Amino acid sequence: MISPVDFVADLLNPDLAFLGKALLVALMSSVVCGVIGTHVVLRGMAFIGEAVAHAVFPGLAVAFLLQGSLVLGGAVAGVVTAVLVAVFSQNRRLKEDSVIGIFFVAAFALGIVIISRAPGYAGSLQDFLFGSITGIPDRDVVTVAVAGALLVAGVLLLHKELVTVSLDREMARASGLPVFVLDLVLYVMVTIAIVVSVQTIGNILVLALLITPAATARMLTDRLGVMMALAPCFGALAALVGVYLSWSLDLPTGGTIVLVATAVFLLAWFFAPRHGLARALQHRAGRRAEVLA
């Protein structure tokens, strides 16, 4: 295992330029997912996040076949599917999760059919499912940076409205807020956040980058503003440590990032000052002592 000093030296080595680019994309993706993931966790939208990850797949497949931008292709497919779900969900005969299950799984199936027509089908499918962070082209680095900046700006601009809809939809409607439009905006934001992260950790593991850092922050604070600040920090930490460990130990980058993020969550779950398991056990022991006394 190489030392952190050697890792920094490798990052600065011109012959290993792909390593610095991989770390940059991982950090940007983690920060963006941390910000958007706060609203996903707040609204209990984990299933939607998983479904969106499936929905972007046909766009990625088409972009791969046409040698175009994977980020752009995935974004188009995800946004189109998200709009379809938002529209069909207005019919109250079907619950939202049923509509999501239909459209997003169908999109994933379409992606599999499309990618099967490509040369080197098995290798391409593995890159889509598990990520290929070291092979990201320069144009996609720029796309991730621009998309990430726009997403963070959008969340900050619509913060109050999105939180109101998340906490009380009926009050939001009574206040005159366009609930449907805000739902659609959030779906699109989740879609783009997932698309910019797919190349980092792959289609299967991308949900972890969206949910785990935000859930970790939720364990540590009751304040939404603090949670939105902590989540991207935890995501960036997982990206940095994950890339370092994967480079040092020759491990899959996406899986390593997810495992680091999960380890941080487990630490928070056990040792969070107010809501951790250790605190709960300590409180229970104190109450038992009071009863016995």
Side-chain angles (χ1 to χ4, degrees), residues 35 37-39 41-42 159-160 162-164 166-167 217-218 221-231:
V35 174
T38 301
H39 288 282
V41 170
L42 185 65
H159 174 72
K160 182 179 178 181
L162 290 173
V163 171
T164 301
S166 298
L167 296 179
R218 184 74 179 92
T221 182
D222 294 322
R223 299 177 59 187
L224 183 59
V226 177
M227 181 180 171
M228 290 189 70
L230 288 176

Side-chain angles (χ1 to χ4, degrees), residues 61-212:
V62 171
F64 177 79
L65 288 176
L66 299 179
Q67 299 297 308
S69 170
L70 296 182
V71 174
L72 181 60
V76 171
V79 169
V80 169
T81 313
V83 170
L84 289 174
V85 169
V87 171
F88 278 79
S89 295
Q90 299 307 300
N91 185 334
R92 295 305 173 187
R93 292 285 296 175
L94 288 175
K95 291 186 177 181
E96 187 179 52
D97 59 348
S98 298
V99 178
I100 290 171
I102 292 170
F103 279 100
F104 286 128
V105 174
F108 189 73
L110 176 61
I112 292 176
V113 171
I114 292 173
I115 197 63
S116 69
R117 310 304 300 172
Y121 160 61
S124 304
L125 183 59
Q126 181 173 333
D127 287 346
F128 285 135
L129 295 181
F130 303 109
S132 180
I133 192 171
T134 57
I136 299 175
D138 291 340
R139 68 174 183 272
D140 280 356
V141 176
V142 176
T143 303
V144 169
V146 173
L150 292 175
L151 277 179
V152 173
V155 169
L156 295 177
L157 184 65
L158 298 173
H159 174 72
K160 182 179 178 181
E161 290 80 3
L162 290 173
V163 171
T164 301
V165 173
S166 298
L167 296 179
D168 193 333
R169 298 175 66 83
E170 296 307 319
M171 185 183 76
R173 286 194 178 94
S175 301
L177 291 177
V179 175
F180 170 71
V181 174
L182 290 170
D183 282 344
L184 188 58
V185 168
L186 186 56
Y187 285 178
V188 171
M189 286 182 173
V190 171
T191 298
I192 297 176
I194 286 176
V195 168
V196 300
S197 307
V198 161
Q199 294 180 89
T200 305
I201 61 175
N203 195 267
I204 289 180
L205 301 178
V206 70
L207 183 65
L209 207 59
L210 193 70
I211 300 298
T212 308

